[in-house]
Amino acid sequence: MATTLAIDCGGGGIKASVLDAAGTMRARPLRVPTPYPLPPALFVETLRDLGARLPAADRLTVGMPGMIRHGVVVATPHYVTRAGPRSRVDPDLVAEWSGYDARGALAEAFGVPALVLNDAEVHGAGVVAGTGCELVLTLGTGLGSALFDGGTIAPHLELSHAPVRWNTTYDTYVGEPERRRLGDAFWSRRIRQVVDGLRPVFRWDRLYLGGGNSRLIRPEQVARMGDDVVVVPNTAGIVGGVRAWDLVGERYDPTP
């Protein structure tokens, strides 16, 4: 039975574990801070060093922030900055990351087949039921999103960069800095307002709220969102590393 090294790369930390074919962790998850500045070479080295501390696996799944198409980075918001999320963007890092074949580099570094997706897509793979239209929103440093149709991952859209009000994106509107500024009660109300605003856009059958901050949404606000909205644990970002291989559809060939 194939084992999977699943790595969940965020703006503040990188987590990893090895899972069996059923999605059960075979090792305690490890976490390291995301280093900055983070050129692609250091990114690969950081993941390889983290993986070396875990049991050997037959394949690799990596979820990372940004627009990822067929394992190639179109754009990544945090890793092009000099000191982490919302710090100054480094033009040299933008050039290095743009068009970077992350899947190819990681498959070569680890010597196993690799799957590289947006982190919200991997997160969603761990929780979706596989029927109907299912939207996943991850709440953490910013806002992540992934859409699934009948269990297949739809082409990624960077919803986080869309304006929610004048000169303010969803990423800024509900990200960690705003949660800290507003406090959990007012921030939770804002999350509900975002859900209400997106409902007529997606007409989902089920919406999943995940990510590290989803557990901070006040219960009364969750109850007001409706029965079609479910809060899911952040561990899905790792657990989804197994199931993601079955949900990518024909648009993505993960084999090197």
Side-chain angles (χ1 to χ4, degrees), residues 116-189:
V116 181
L117 299 169
N118 173 272
D119 53 350
E121 293 176 335
V122 179
H123 192 104
V127 298
V128 295
T131 58
C133 178
E134 298 175 281
L135 179 65
V136 178
L137 298 179
T138 56
L139 304 166
T141 303
L143 176 72
S145 63
L147 187 64
F148 294 76
D149 179 22
T152 299
I153 303 175
H156 185 65
L157 301 176
E158 277 291 75
L159 178 64
S160 61
H161 295 310
V164 63
R165 57 171 54 177
W166 179 254
N167 205 32
T168 302
T169 64
Y170 281 98
D171 204 49
T172 301
Y173 193 60
V174 297
E176 173 63 7
E178 275 297 273
R179 186 196 67 80
R180 291 181 178 179
R181 186 183 72 85
L182 293 171
D184 289 346
F186 283 101
W187 175 80
S188 297
R189 185 182 304 172

Side-chain angles (χ1 to χ4, degrees), residues 8-233:
D8 182 14
C9 305
I14 299 174
K15 303 181 290 293
S17 185
V18 172
L19 305 100
D20 62 21
T24 303
M25 293 187 189
R26 299 185 60 177
R28 187 170 63 87
L30 300 179
R31 183 187 187 278
V32 296
T34 304
Y36 290 99
L38 186 60
L42 178 58
F43 174 76
V44 172
E45 180 183 343
T46 302
L47 268 57
R48 188 171 53 190
D49 290 347
L50 185 59
R53 297 165 52 191
L54 291 164
D58 301 308
R59 61 186 186 182
L60 168 69
T61 304
V62 173
M64 60 179 293
M67 177 70 77
I68 316 297
R69 289 181 180 151
H70 307 284
V72 175
V73 178
V74 177
T76 183
H78 309 314
Y79 300 165
V80 297
T81 61
R82 297 180 179 179
R86 294 180 175 82
S87 65
R88 181 173 297 183
V89 171
D90 186 331
D92 292 335
L93 288 175
V94 173
E96 285 193 62
W97 277 107
S98 180
Y100 179 70
D101 183 5
R103 184 198 68 84
L106 289 166
E108 181 179 355
F110 283 85
V112 296
L115 181 66
V116 181
L117 299 169
N118 173 272
D119 53 350
E121 293 176 335
V122 179
H123 192 104
V127 298
V128 295
T131 58
C133 178
E134 298 175 281
L135 179 65
V136 178
L137 298 179
T138 56
L139 304 166
T141 303
L143 176 72
S145 63
L147 187 64
F148 294 76
D149 179 22
T152 299
I153 303 175
H156 185 65
L157 301 176
E158 277 291 75
L159 178 64
S160 61
H161 295 310
V164 63
R165 57 171 54 177
W166 179 254
N167 205 32
T168 302
T169 64
Y170 281 98
D171 204 49
T172 301
Y173 193 60
V174 297
E176 173 63 7
E178 275 297 273
R179 186 196 67 80
R180 291 181 178 179
R181 186 183 72 85
L182 293 171
D184 289 346
F186 283 101
W187 175 80
S188 297
R189 185 182 304 172
R190 181 170 287 188
I191 296 300
R192 179 177 58 80
Q193 292 170 346
V194 167
V195 169
D196 290 344
L198 292 177
R199 186 183 296 276
V201 177
F202 289 94
R203 297 287 182 177
W204 56 70
D205 294 300
R206 183 68 58 87
L207 167 65
Y208 302 90
L209 298 176
N213 284 346
S214 62
R215 60 186 175 82
L216 302 176
I217 304 173
R218 292 294 180 88
E220 64 272 18
Q221 297 300 336
V222 175
R224 295 183 64 181
M225 292 181 200
D227 294 338
D228 58 348
V229 180
V230 181
V231 176
V232 295

